[in-house]
Amino acid sequence: MTAKLENLTDLADRYGSDKGSVKHRYTELYHMLFHPYRMRAITFLEMGLLIGGPEHGADADRATSDLPSIRMWLEYFPKARIHGLDVSDFSWFEHERFTFHRCDMEDPAQIARAIGAIDPAPDIVIDDASHASHHQQTAFLEIFPRLAPGGLYVIEDLRWQPATYERPKITKTAALFRSWLDDRRFSHSDPAVEAAFNALSDQISGCIVEPARYQKKRRDQLVVIHKR
């Protein structure tokens, strides 16, 4: 008799990830979206590996002691190659299917170098890094073109931007993708960023923007973009 696979939300709660039922409930959506990939030898990338980095005022060289979501993904995807990217050091974590990339999201060249080192191309990407609007947008512009066809790109925590990084008057990432949903064209306060996003529009088959805890009256919290 085949053993029953554990639900992603149960895994999140067991490993202490804030993506589970205790806080964000992202795993309820992720289990539906990612289940078809579960037993495949995919490439998976998560950016932002532990709460409490420079976006919260801590030093990038802070001591790190756990990787709750990476532990969760390694168990959920038993055949996947898991990559983690963070401004802090997690190189101490060793697993035969895990690779760590240290990267400052403020530097597009570092992002490009990190994604260039991931081969084969990611099938799923989750951005749970600093949550600064320009970091999310720069990462998307660097990484989405290298996402595998049919892949999924997720940006979390759209409601909150850190004062340590957020630029004044920048178009928020939620509003950016809402503009695409409304008009099939990206609208941004910076014409260069707007043009760069619109240049990728033909690669997007669709996206969904979810409010916090899936309650319609609450602010946008998460976006999922599907690549053609």
Side-chain angles (χ1 to χ4, degrees):
M1 184 175 180
T2 304
K4 183 179 179 181
L5 293 172
E6 197 167 358
N7 182 279
L8 183 57
T9 299
D10 294 335
L11 286 174
D13 293 348
R14 176 153 62 85
Y15 284 112
S17 170
D18 65 2
K19 301 180 193 300
S21 67
V22 176
K23 190 172 184 180
H24 291 307
R25 293 175 52 191
Y26 295 152
T27 50
E28 296 172 19
L29 176 63
Y30 291 166
H31 189 73
M32 291 187 284
L33 293 175
F34 300 165
H35 193 266
Y37 295 87
R38 186 163 192 180
M39 302 308 295
R40 292 170 49 190
I42 64 167
T43 303
F44 183 100
L45 168 64
E46 180 166 27
M47 300 180 286
L49 305 181
L50 185 66
I51 194 169
E55 69 276 13
H56 291 284
D59 192 279
D61 293 322
R62 64 186 171 129
T64 59
S65 59
D66 196 11
L67 279 170
S69 61
I70 292 298
R71 297 181 193 278
M72 173 184 74
W73 297 126
L74 284 165
E75 184 163 342
Y76 187 75
F77 295 113
K79 299 180 180 179
R81 185 74 197 182
I82 308 294
H83 293 262
L85 184 155
D86 200 281
V87 69
S88 298
D89 186 14
F90 292 86
S91 59
W92 51 265
F93 183 82
E94 295 183 0
H95 190 283
E96 61 183 3
R97 291 189 290 111
F98 175 73
T99 303
F100 173 66
H101 308 265
R102 193 166 186 181
C103 177
D104 186 344
M105 303 300 283
E106 194 73 21
D107 186 349
Q110 290 190 35
I111 301 171
R113 185 162 58 249
I115 189 62
I118 298 175
D119 184 35
D123 298 282
I124 299 172
V125 173
I126 293 181
D127 183 349
D128 187 21
S130 76
H131 313 305
S133 300
H134 67 289
H135 286 181
Q136 294 169 334
Q137 294 160 24
T138 299
F140 184 86
L141 292 172
E142 291 290 342
I143 296 172
F144 187 76
R146 307 181 195 198
L147 188 70
L152 296 169
Y153 194 107
V154 182
I155 306 173
E156 295 184 350
D157 299 346
L158 299 176
R159 294 188 305 156
W160 178 79
Q161 292 78 41
T164 50
Y165 284 125
E166 190 70 0
R167 294 177 177 175
K169 299 182 180 179
I170 187 173
T171 298
K172 301 296 188 281
T173 302
L176 181 63
F177 281 97
R178 282 285 182 193
S179 68
W180 188 87
L181 280 171
D182 291 341
D183 303 319
R184 286 301 186 268
R185 180 169 179 80
F186 290 102
S187 178
H188 197 281
S189 57
D190 184 330
V193 175
E194 180 177 295
F197 267 85
N198 281 311
L200 297 179
S201 186
D202 288 345
Q203 297 184 36
I204 299 173
S205 69
C207 77
I208 55 175
V209 181
E210 290 286 350
R213 299 181 73 85
Y214 313 110
Q215 296 172 15
K216 291 183 179 181
K217 293 183 179 180
R218 301 185 72 175
R219 291 171 57 197
D220 294 335
Q221 178 74 333
L222 176 150
V223 60
V224 181
I225 305 101
H226 184 261
K227 187 171 183 180
R228 290 183 186 275

